[in-house]
Amino acid sequence: MEDCIFCKIANKKIPTEPVYEDENTIAFNDLNPQAPVHVLVIPKKHYASLNELDDEKTMAALLKAVKEVARKLGITDYRTVINTGKEAGQEVFHIHFHVLAGRPLKWPPG
Ligand code: 5GP
Ligand code: ZN
């Protein structure tokens, strides 16, 4: 997608230091971290949100990438969030998993 910031990161049009990368996914630090660890995990292919993600291989690849991020960072306790739709807080319409860690996280989220 031409105007999608996360496609530009995935295509390396915006230089980004990956926390983890494989054939189908890339993970990188959030620009505005909400915790000491705040990594975003995205598929390289554009899907606007979880509602559009229909490829089971990519679904599995994303979860695997989340686990690889945790393993690489040496964290065992973390929260994984997918905001889907504006009302749920989604601002970037290229599906992404937030991986948050490094401080106690409250429940329920706001
Ligand atoms: P959402 O609200 O859509 O679930 O999350 C979007 C996240 O992307 C936010 O946490 C925001 O800080 C992050 N973000 C937005 N633009 C950029 C960017 O250009 N680079 C990085 N690394 N993160 C971004
Ligand atoms: Zn995109």
Side-chain angles (χ1 to χ4, degrees):
M1 274 263 292
E2 196 109 311
D3 291 334
C4 172
I5 191 94
F6 287 180
C7 280
K8 287 183 182 150
I9 289 173
N11 298 333
K12 311 279 167 70
K13 286 189 180 136
I14 297 174
T16 306
E17 186 66 42
V19 175
Y20 170 79
E21 182 171 11
D22 61 30
E23 192 189 337
N24 300 305
T25 72
I26 182 165
F28 51 90
N29 287 313
D30 196 291
L31 197 59
N32 182 23
Q34 300 301 313
V37 172
H38 189 170
V39 173
L40 301 174
V41 178
I42 68 169
K44 290 184 174 174
K45 189 172 169 200
H46 182 92
Y47 298 95
S49 80
L50 186 58
N51 291 333
E52 283 76 31
L53 177 57
D54 54 5
D55 170 36
E56 290 185 12
K57 257 181 76 176
T58 303
M59 292 178 190
L62 284 165
L63 266 187
K64 180 173 171 244
V66 167
K67 291 184 65 173
E68 287 293 340
V69 166
R71 194 184 59 78
K72 275 190 92 169
L73 297 179
I75 52 171
T76 54
D77 297 27
Y78 54 94
R79 181 169 296 168
T80 307
V81 175
I82 308 172
N83 295 322
T84 304
K86 279 206 168 74
E87 199 170 312
Q90 186 175 6
E91 289 179 354
V92 176
F93 281 79
H94 178 132
I95 188 179
H96 49 281
F97 286 56
H98 297 258
V99 180
L100 298 144
R103 67 168 171 83
L105 296 164
K106 292 197 184 107
W107 193 262

